[in-house]
Amino acid sequence: MKESTTKKLLKERKLRITTVRNEILSIFNDRNYALSFYDLEKELKTKFDTATIYRTINTFVENNIIHQIPLESKTAYYALNSVLEEDENSRKEHIHFLCRICRRTYCLENVIIKDLKINKNFRLESLKIIAEGVCDNCGAIS
Amino acid sequence: MKESTTKKLLKERKLRITTVRNEILSIFNDRNYALSFYDLEKELKTKFDTATIYRTINTFVENNIIHQIPLESKTAYYALNSVLEEDENSRKEHIHFLCRICRRTYCLENVIIKDLKINKNFRLESLKIIAEGVCDNCGAIS
DNA sequence: TTTTATTTTGCAAGTAACTTGCAAATATAA
DNA sequence: TTATATTTGCAAGTTACTTGCAAAATAAAA
Ligand SMILES: [Mn+2]
Ligand SMILES: [Mn+2]
Ligand SMILES: [Zn+2]
Ligand SMILES: [Zn+2]
């Protein structure tokens, strides 16, 4: 991601423009799968403190720049929100695909989620879907 | 749950019959929603050690007696597997419903999961669905 | 451009949610 | 019963994060 793009994004959310924020944003943008703190640390450990990386992740979640993905894993994973969504409420529901071979988690935005018929007396408001299987990359190799 | 039922279940899986195991099994059976370590601790703290409760949870997961539920929450939640399922592979896929009011998580076994059309080149093998909304109990109150 | 106000950062310490090692206690098999 | 294997309690350890505080960086005001 170009630095001008990350700066624009931060300015929109009224966040100060700093090096960690620019760098973390551009790392997220370079990947098409979800990242944990440890993925970020690998690339940033010489430059920034642990607490700073965690605080940046939290700031980004609070400001609707990234979202956490519900997985059974003990460490949290995050991915960029799609750039189209302006505000929190317009955020597009999408599914997460966890590859059982490479363990990467992808956001799939163009899968149509059909309405589920839930037991009566349970009022359904939203759905989170984690699909598991083999990703395009791992399927091609085997 | 009657003690004879819990004993039978443990014997089937070739697990030794102990007091913690009987008690944790019957607590799970008395609830129709998922439990965390802290929920169990509340009822058992005078009787058993922290490590024992954690080890029992892990033993139950390994032996296919309970399952973990993928939530964004930091602490893990577990629920009983349905008694019908004999072995791991026959385990019925079902959805989890998280109530935004009481924060309880329910296993809903009788919701039909329609096949999703995933992006081509992603091979879908299973689905985990977390539905959010208002549960029957909280809906009745309001 | 300097001064000032506000936010962010690094460092160190702290906490929550588990996990592990080991000896004593208990459960099952012999 | 006695022997063997498993489980338990206690204490210590680990992992994944969070917080307090002073120094540094950013942005707004002058
Ligand atoms: Mn996503
Ligand atoms: Mn369930
Ligand atoms: Zn893969
Ligand atoms: Zn409820």
Side-chain angles (χ1 to χ4, degrees):
Chain A
M1 202 190 255
K2 279 180 292 182
E3 209 188 87
S4 61
T5 321
T6 63
K7 282 186 181 168
K8 194 172 145 263
L9 183 60
L10 293 170
K11 214 163 244 170
E12 274 169 21
R13 322 273 155 146
K14 298 196 160 100
L15 292 173
R16 291 191 178 196
I17 292 153
T18 68
T19 12
V20 225
R21 288 178 181 169
N22 280 324
E23 296 208 19
I24 291 188
L25 267 182
S26 95
I27 291 172
F28 268 109
N29 200 65
D30 290 348
R31 306 298 153 82
N32 64 337
Y33 50 87
L35 300 173
S36 67
F37 164 80
Y38 297 92
D39 296 323
L40 294 171
E41 197 197 27
K42 260 182 258 156
E43 317 214 7
L44 300 174
K45 66 172 154 239
T46 53
K47 290 184 190 156
F48 307 101
D49 188 70
T50 304
T52 304
I53 300 174
Y54 275 116
R55 281 191 277 230
T56 306
I57 292 172
N58 289 341
T59 305
F60 284 180
V61 171
E62 285 154 18
N63 288 275
N64 208 38
I65 292 169
I66 60 176
H67 59 282
Q68 197 193 328
I69 293 159
L71 297 173
E72 263 144 17
S73 97
K74 184 171 296 188
T75 61
Y77 278 79
Y78 301 90
L80 266 190
N81 294 345
S82 79
V83 256
L84 300 166
E85 54 210 1
E86 303 288 276
D87 79 297
E88 180 163 9
N89 298 322
S90 76
R91 194 148 114 212
K92 210 171 129 201
E93 271 190 8
H94 63 273
I95 82 157
H96 293 111
F97 187 95
L98 171 61
C99 174
R100 85 170 139 77
I101 296 173
C102 65
R103 307 308 296 166
R104 284 180 182 167
T105 300
Y106 303 84
C107 300
L108 302 184
E109 306 268 356
N110 44 4
V111 176
I112 298 136
I113 301 168
K114 285 178 196 132
D115 252 346
L116 279 190
K117 285 218 163 43
I118 290 289
N119 310 34
K120 73 165 186 310
N121 301 327
F122 280 75
R123 189 161 69 246
L124 178 63
E125 293 173 348
S126 69
L127 282 177
K128 289 182 178 144
I129 301 185
I130 301 151
E132 293 195 38
V134 181
C135 76
D136 55 353
N137 190 49
C138 294
I141 292 161
S142 71
Chain B
M1 202 189 255
K2 279 179 294 183
E3 210 187 87
S4 61
T5 320
T6 65
K7 282 185 181 169
K8 193 171 147 262
L9 183 60
L10 293 170
K11 216 163 239 167
E12 273 171 21
R13 322 273 156 145
K14 299 198 159 97
L15 292 173
R16 292 190 176 196
I17 292 154
T18 67
T19 11
V20 224
R21 288 178 181 170
N22 279 326
E23 296 208 20
I24 291 189
L25 267 182
S26 94
I27 291 174
F28 268 110
N29 200 66
D30 290 347
R31 306 299 153 82
N32 64 337
Y33 50 87
L35 300 173
S36 67
F37 164 80
Y38 297 94
D39 296 323
L40 294 171
E41 198 197 27
K42 260 181 259 156
E43 316 216 4
L44 300 173
K45 66 173 153 238
T46 53
K47 291 184 190 158
F48 307 101
D49 188 69
T50 304
T52 304
I53 300 174
Y54 276 116
R55 279 192 279 231
T56 306
I57 292 172
N58 290 340
T59 306
F60 284 0
V61 170
E62 285 153 19
N63 287 276
N64 208 37
I65 292 170
I66 60 175
H67 59 281
Q68 197 193 329
I69 293 160
L71 297 173
E72 264 144 14
S73 99
K74 185 168 297 188
T75 62
Y77 278 78
Y78 301 90
L80 266 190
N81 293 345
S82 80
V83 257
L84 300 165
E85 54 209 358
E86 303 288 274
D87 78 298
E88 175 162 14
N89 298 321
S90 76
R91 194 147 115 213
K92 211 171 128 201
E93 271 191 7
H94 63 273
I95 82 158
H96 292 111
F97 186 96
L98 171 62
C99 174
R100 85 170 139 77
I101 296 174
C102 65
R103 307 309 293 166
R104 285 181 180 165
T105 300
Y106 303 85
C107 299
L108 302 184
E109 306 268 355
N110 44 3
V111 175
I112 298 136
I113 301 167
K114 285 178 195 132
D115 251 347
L116 278 189
K117 285 217 163 43
I118 289 289
N119 309 35
K120 73 167 184 314
N121 302 326
F122 280 74
R123 189 160 70 246
L124 178 64
E125 292 173 348
S126 68
L127 282 177
K128 289 182 177 142
I129 302 185
I130 302 151
E132 293 194 37
V134 181
C135 77
D136 53 354
N137 190 49
C138 295
I141 293 162
S142 70

